[in-house]
Amino acid sequence: MCGIVGYIGKADAASVLINGLRRLEYRGYDSAGLAVLDDGQIVVAKAPGKVAKLNDRAHADWTPERFRRVTTGIAHTRWATHGPPTEVNAHPHLDQAGDIALVHNGIIENYRAVRARLESKGHHFYSETDTEVLAHLIGDCNKGDLFQAVCDALHQVEGTFGIAVLSAHEPDKIITARRGSPIVIGIGEGETIIASDASAILAHTQRVIYLDDNDIAVIKADSVDIRDLNNIPVTREIAELGFDAAAAEKGGFDHFMLKEIHEQPDSLGNAIRGRIDHNLGSSVLAGMGTSPRELAEISRVVLLGCGTSLHAGLVGEYAFEDLADIHAEVQQAAEFRYRNPILGNRDLVVAISQSGETADTLAAVREANQKGAFVMSLCNVVGSTIARETGRGVYLHAGPEISVASTKAFTCQVAVLLMMALKLGRGRRYSREDGIKLAREIESIPELVAKVILQNDRIAKIAADYTQNEHAFFIGRGPMYPVALEGALKLKEISYVHAEGYHAAELKHGPIALLEQGTPVIAIACDVPGKDKTLGNIEECRARGARILGIVTEGDHETAECMDDFITIPRCHPLVATIPAVVALQLFAYHVARLRGCEIDQPRNLAKSVTVE
Ligand code: G6P
């Protein structure tokens, strides 16, 4: 949520910053801005809308000489929290004297009180943002030492922040700090770049340092000095990124989402490879860091997540119960710490998060840790806060996911959850023979998904008949119920069609009242237990005029005949089938959105990484 970049070095800083913002645009894209140091002065450019608008504005307002001269600056792409996405609310914000510029990701919770105090001292504010208040506070604390001023200001604020600060009086440095919002520092040759995530850094260097909460760093072109907020030096290791700039490009596809859907055979291969034990019919997930005894003692699994990750958790719930006979439950991460979660040391809590930065999931992890549960994570972004705070867990290895709507992360989450459930199951009720069969099926997931992707053109044709509807229902049973939820979420996120996912049986308890002639009902009717009952529910919908698009199993002609349109998935284990089924729905949503002319990779109002509650 909100993207920050800062650069100090030898290159044209404004261009580096704008290119960095483009990489971070998925984090927020309602306005953007940058501040550079030119000839001892801070110069700011801002524009409402996307980074491209900021680029136009900067090139219109600034001379080419300025672009060539300037080697230090900070920049921001915004997802509005306080105040609408106007130019005046866009970051960077300046202090009262106009000598200090600040970009900020997060929320300053006590900004009203601080603002009132500063106003009584004569400060004047232009924007509605909490960030401008922090900029003024830093200015107010500044007695000639920017680092100390930032420390003093941060001691006075409550809430979350990832910040970068620039001062006209100390042009050789940028100060950066974090609490709750990520900051990565890239260490180049004679240049240092900071960003909210590594995708903005990888064009410059593979060597990065992840800041921890309450770290504050002085960044210079050739040095990084990290301290805590009490000015005590801390040591943070340098990590290697391990993926290059090409991984964050569209690679010939029209949209990142389409590219990421097509990448799934590879990303799933990466998530599964080396993690299957064919001999034992189990999985090898070293990151779980659990002894067989600890595994045997687990009496409950609690899965936490938000959005798409929550839906992956719902599939996991079925998997843990089916394969391991363990009571499993999914909880919305946002709600978790506000109820009274009953947890003990025999409860395994699995936090699921693509980004590893989602504020609600992180807060839930902290609650679970505090209550003494056995906590692990399932993250995609290596080194992310949730991955680090849980200490143990399994990385997805899905590669960078840029499109706001999650696709490959979801399927990798489900694949890893299946492997976890298999591992727990083998220590309990699941026989070696059954384990070997399922392990083989899990290993074949990339192939199953590739077969669905081969139907891309056919799915595009089917989607063309569903572009005029403003409402749609997705139904499924058993593990296909979360697939229905995820299919509906994908469609609404990117095409703005009002779509609802329901358990197939639940439709008749209310939502069926909304069916009219031609209302689309997308039924996940693969040949898995419960299919016949779903077919009954389909007939109930058809009797009310619904148009039925079925996801059916290859060769199940009888079921296909019940549908107005159908997409097939290969025959496989019911839990495994959730993955190809969801891929079919991803492609369907993509094509409906494309044909409706929507902005697929950056849907309105959304952000990929939600670092506010
Ligand atoms: C945002 C994104 C969703 C994502 C959710 C959870 O809402 O738009 O695509 O599923 O956050 O994100 P996480 O990174 O925790 O999986």
Side-chain angles (χ1 to χ4, degrees):
M1 192 130 296
C2 299
I4 289 177
V5 196
Y7 177 84
I8 183 160
K10 52 200 176 187
D12 155 4
S15 303
V16 171
L17 293 169
I18 289 171
N19 286 336
L21 287 185
R22 287 200 176 103
R23 301 269 188 208
L24 297 183
E25 211 168 16
Y26 70 86
R27 300 178 70 90
Y29 33 84
D30 58 39
S31 52
L34 77 162
V36 293
L37 271 180
D38 188 14
D39 203 14
Q41 286 207 318
I42 288 188
V43 189
V44 175
K46 295 182 187 187
K50 300 209 164 172
V51 173
K53 291 243 174 77
L54 171 67
N55 188 43
D56 294 347
R57 175 67 60 85
H59 279 93
D61 292 357
W62 294 357
T63 60
E65 288 69 40
R66 173 169 285 161
F67 274 87
R68 276 195 288 276
R69 263 196 318 264
V70 153
T71 56
T72 305
I74 57 176
H76 187 268
T77 177
R78 181 168 185 246
W79 187 86
T81 57
H82 295 67
T86 56
E87 185 166 331
V88 75
N89 285 332
H91 301 207
H93 289 285
L94 302 179
D95 73 327
Q96 177 74 12
D99 292 339
I100 294 174
L102 167 73
V103 291
H104 166 224
N105 172 14
I107 290 182
I108 304 301
E109 287 165 1
N110 60 338
Y111 83 103
R112 285 177 206 282
V114 178
R115 180 172 170 144
R117 181 156 53 79
L118 292 171
E119 275 171 340
S120 72
K121 288 171 84 174
H123 285 246
H124 180 77
F125 293 91
Y126 297 92
S127 77
E128 295 159 70
T129 65
D130 51 339
T131 304
E132 191 184 13
V133 175
L134 180 56
H136 278 238
L137 184 61
I138 294 170
D140 194 58
C141 292
N142 195 8
K143 308 284 177 279
D145 178 347
L146 182 65
F147 174 84
Q148 196 52 50
V150 177
C151 282
D152 292 347
L154 293 180
H155 275 299
Q156 296 177 46
V157 296
E158 289 157 22
T160 54
F161 51 79
I163 56 168
V165 190
L166 196 62
S167 164
H169 301 298
E170 298 183 43
D172 62 333
K173 65 184 70 136
I174 294 171
I175 309 288
T176 184
R178 75 158 273 175
R179 182 188 294 155
S181 301
I183 294 283
V184 191
I185 302 169
I187 302 165
E189 298 290 329
E191 57 180 4
T192 309
I193 180 161
I194 60 166
S196 304
D197 91 40
S199 55
I201 289 178
L202 41 78
H204 299 266
T205 178
Q206 287 277 308
R207 301 175 72 222
V208 296
I209 297 175
Y210 298 97
L211 287 192
D212 276 355
D213 272 355
N214 297 312
D215 284 355
I216 174 163
V218 179
I219 305 298
K220 296 188 174 177
D222 51 9
S223 69
V224 174
D225 179 15
I226 308 175
R227 294 168 180 260
D228 68 14
L229 289 178
N230 296 317
N231 207 354
I232 312 285
V234 293
T235 310
R236 302 282 171 243
E237 280 180 12
I238 298 179
E240 286 287 323
L241 280 178
F243 59 93
D244 60 16
E249 300 289 348
K250 276 191 210 153
F253 288 93
D254 287 346
H255 298 96
F256 278 110
M257 182 178 180
L258 190 61
K259 176 190 175 227
E260 287 159 9
I261 292 172
H262 278 76
E263 275 173 353
Q264 288 175 109
D266 285 342
S267 56
L268 284 157
N270 292 338
I272 297 165
R273 193 172 308 114
R275 288 173 164 171
I276 295 287
D277 182 333
H278 287 290
N279 186 34
L280 290 179
S282 185
S283 63
V284 188
L285 299 168
M288 283 175 74
T290 38
S291 66
R293 221 187 88 207
E294 281 172 320
L295 279 187
E297 279 175 1
I298 291 167
S299 61
R300 185 169 68 131
V301 180
V302 179
L303 300 134
L304 299 170
C306 298
T308 289
S309 296
L310 183 74
H311 294 159
L314 281 163
V315 180
E317 190 179 79
Y318 284 93
F320 283 107
E321 291 188 353
D322 265 21
L323 307 179
D325 260 355
I326 297 185
H327 170 67
E329 65 192 57
V330 176
Q331 300 217 12
Q332 283 178 349
E335 191 60 21
F336 193 66
R337 69 177 169 148
Y338 295 111
R339 49 199 285 175
N340 178 25
I342 315 296
L343 291 174
N345 60 5
R346 294 182 62 206
D347 293 319
L348 170 64
V349 171
V350 184
I352 308 170
S353 174
Q354 187 286 129
S355 62
E357 302 292 348
T358 301
D360 285 323
T361 311
L362 178 59
V365 161
R366 289 176 177 161
E367 176 77 18
N369 267 332
Q370 209 238 331
K371 292 213 154 160
F374 199 81
V375 187
M376 60 180 67
S377 62
L378 235 166
C379 293
N380 191 34
V381 177
V382 175
S384 55
T385 309
I386 292 172
R388 285 182 297 139
E389 289 212 6
T390 48
R392 48 178 121 208
V394 185
Y395 278 121
L396 303 178
H397 300 314
E401 193 181 65
I402 312 285
S403 172
V404 166
S406 182
T407 53
K408 61 179 181 171
F410 175 84
T411 48
C412 288
Q413 285 166 344
V414 173
V416 172
L417 284 166
L418 293 186
M419 290 188 285
M420 279 176 116
L422 174 61
K423 189 176 174 74
L424 262 74
R426 284 290 291 113
R428 291 155 196 257
R429 65 171 278 262
Y430 216 56
S431 71
R432 177 167 174 266
E433 204 187 11
D434 287 343
I436 290 174
K437 271 196 224 145
L438 183 58
R440 260 196 230 119
E441 287 224 22
I442 292 175
E443 207 165 38
S444 75
I445 291 173
E447 264 168 66
L448 305 177
V449 165
K451 284 190 177 163
V452 176
I453 292 174
L454 280 177
Q455 297 176 72
N456 180 45
D457 292 350
R458 191 178 125 69
I459 297 173
K461 278 199 195 110
I462 293 172
D465 287 339
Y466 290 83
T467 57
Q468 300 305 318
N469 302 89
E470 293 307 321
H471 305 274
F473 292 92
F474 287 68
I475 58 171
R477 279 171 183 266
M480 296 303 163
Y481 165 54
V483 170
L485 295 180
E486 177 58 12
L489 180 63
K490 282 290 88 75
L491 187 66
K492 72 183 125 193
E493 275 179 308
I494 59 169
S495 73
Y496 314 141
V497 172
H498 167 231
E500 297 290 346
Y502 277 96
H503 188 281
E506 196 61 25
L507 208 66
K508 59 183 164 299
H509 296 294
I512 203 165
L514 298 170
L515 295 186
E516 292 173 349
Q517 198 59 37
T519 306
V521 171
I522 294 91
I524 331 301
C526 318
D527 199 9
V528 297
K531 181 192 81 174
D532 290 341
K533 297 213 183 302
T534 302
L535 287 179
N537 303 130
I538 289 171
E539 289 315 316
E540 294 156 10
C541 298
R542 186 193 301 289
R544 274 110 190 140
R547 172 172 188 158
I548 317 289
L549 165 60
I551 306 297
V552 304
T553 304
E554 228 168 53
D556 184 359
H557 304 297
E558 213 178 305
T559 302
E561 273 164 25
C562 302
M563 312 294 171
D564 295 295
D565 304 288
F566 65 90
I567 303 167
T568 58
I569 66 159
R571 184 170 291 283
C572 52
H573 186 284
L575 286 166
V576 169
T578 55
I579 294 179
V582 97
V583 173
L585 298 180
Q586 293 167 352
L587 282 169
F588 175 72
Y590 172 82
H591 288 295
V592 172
R594 181 181 56 82
L595 293 164
R596 285 167 66 96
C598 298
E599 267 210 63
I600 293 179
D601 286 333
Q602 293 170 348
R604 70 181 178 214
N605 303 340
L606 301 185
K608 184 147 192 75
S609 181
V610 180
T611 53
V612 293
E613 273 194 56

